[in-house]
Amino acid sequence: MHTVDQLIVIVLFDQVDLLDVTGPPEVFHLARRETEEAAAYDVVLAAETMDPVVTAAGVRVLPDVTFDALASRSIDTVIVPGAVDPGDDGRLRPTVDPVVVRRVRQLSARARRMTSVCVGAHILAAAGLLDGKRATTHWSTAQQLAADHPAVEVDADPIFIRQGDVWTGAGISACLDLSLALIADDLGEAVALRVARQLVMYLKRPSGQSQFSVPLEQASTTRRIEDLRHYILRHIAEPLTVTQLAEHAHISDRQLTRIFKNELGTTPHSYIESVRVERARHQLESTDATLERVASACGFGTLDTLVRSFRRRLDTTPTEYRRRFRTTPA
């Protein structure tokens, strides 16, 4: 293991998500403790001014330094947290302040690596740092990220993605996974695993692991698609075909496929599979049902089909998923 002396800058701005800001410093602090200070991480919170920043949780956070004060310093890692605006309709929209975007772009010129947590990816994208790269963000804003930045290859499934010296993380709690991955990159897997144990985390989740909870509640604008979704839920244990759904909706197969694509951004087959996987997840978490019974109750038909769907959707197996996330005693 080699000693590192790294300045880590966490970007602060009003209404930022609190855990995005406080999670990484705790992880890097534990790395120092686990290596008896060999991991010389110097974590600072940077903002436009030294005034307190009010987070989305209402907690006031004091910056350590201003952006201007960092102008002459060499930076190892910049962590860009996220913030969302619920909006009048209740839908979450990422906050992208032009001033923050400009500051992040400036910091990137002096940083060895750039990272984002959750919807902070929208800020990296606005700064032009994700163009031509694969990136992730919270599943709820992934479609918007892709629409706003066509040059970015958005993948909403992984917990975090590394593309060279740019790293993007998914949900808020994934800031811990991302921080552990950065430590592993600097100091090796053994140190990262020791830190993970101190955090009482599931060791260290691999980057390709899915965010797990399949987002099934995309907003739809027509009564017809809502009726189809409820029909699928009521008949999920049965074989469901495009023709069957089309007949229920009194439309052609082609119209049905087009409606699903326009309304939900997916195909009928893919949507049905996602519903089945979500139903199976809950059964694996909360019941003692055998895998064969889960497969049957959720409409997979066979255990092999259940396993293939879990690997495709969640990058794990039903057995491994139950082992990690079971909420009832074995």
Side-chain angles (χ1 to χ4, degrees), residues 54-279:
V54 181
T55 67
V59 177
R60 292 154 61 91
V61 178
L62 291 175
D64 299 306
V65 66
T66 65
F67 294 125
D68 287 334
L70 293 171
S72 61
R73 299 186 64 179
S74 177
I75 301 169
D76 184 84
T77 304
V78 175
I79 298 177
V80 181
V84 292
D85 178 6
D88 295 336
D89 57 2
R91 297 187 66 182
L92 298 180
R93 294 175 177 82
T95 301
V96 182
D97 185 332
V99 173
V100 176
V101 171
R102 177 171 58 84
R103 290 298 195 176
V104 166
R105 190 182 297 115
Q106 291 171 348
L107 291 171
S108 70
R110 300 191 306 281
R112 178 173 72 93
R113 60 188 174 192
M114 298 293 296
T115 73
S116 66
V117 178
C118 199
V119 297
H122 292 260
I123 297 174
L124 287 189
L129 302 177
L130 298 182
D131 287 355
K133 292 182 171 61
R134 181 167 161 261
T136 193
T137 186
H138 194 276
W139 59 262
S140 66
T141 67
Q143 288 187 352
Q144 181 177 342
L145 181 62
D148 292 346
H149 303 280
V152 181
E153 182 187 346
V154 180
D155 186 346
D157 196 45
I159 291 174
F160 63 87
I161 292 175
R162 178 183 185 178
Q163 293 278 274
D165 57 1
V166 178
W167 305 57
T168 51
I172 294 176
S173 64
C175 68
L176 305 179
D177 298 284
L178 179 61
S179 299
L180 285 169
L182 296 175
I183 289 170
D185 192 50
D186 294 335
L187 303 169
E189 293 285 344
V191 174
L193 289 173
R194 295 210 305 270
V195 173
R197 291 189 186 99
Q198 292 300 320
L199 291 165
V200 198
M201 290 178 64
Y202 169 72
L203 296 181
K204 188 173 70 67
R205 296 189 289 181
S207 64
Q209 182 168 311
S210 170
Q211 297 185 43
F212 280 125
S213 186
V214 180
L216 300 176
E217 298 306 318
Q218 302 102 316
S220 57
T221 58
T222 65
R223 187 171 299 175
R224 174 177 285 165
I225 200 71
E226 283 300 305
D227 176 64
L228 282 166
R229 288 168 62 165
H230 285 96
Y231 180 85
I232 289 168
L233 286 171
R234 291 195 305 271
H235 298 274
I236 197 62
E238 306 168 14
L240 288 169
T241 66
V242 170
T243 298
Q244 178 183 349
L245 294 178
E247 289 176 351
H248 173 75
H250 305 292
I251 56 178
S252 69
D253 292 10
R254 182 175 297 181
Q255 284 177 298
L256 180 85
T257 300
R258 185 169 62 250
I259 287 172
F260 265 80
K261 184 65 175 177
N262 293 340
E263 285 285 334
L264 301 178
T266 187
T267 64
H269 174 78
S270 180
Y271 180 79
I272 291 168
E273 183 183 57
S274 69
V275 175
R276 286 180 168 146
V277 168
E278 190 75 357
R279 180 70 62 86

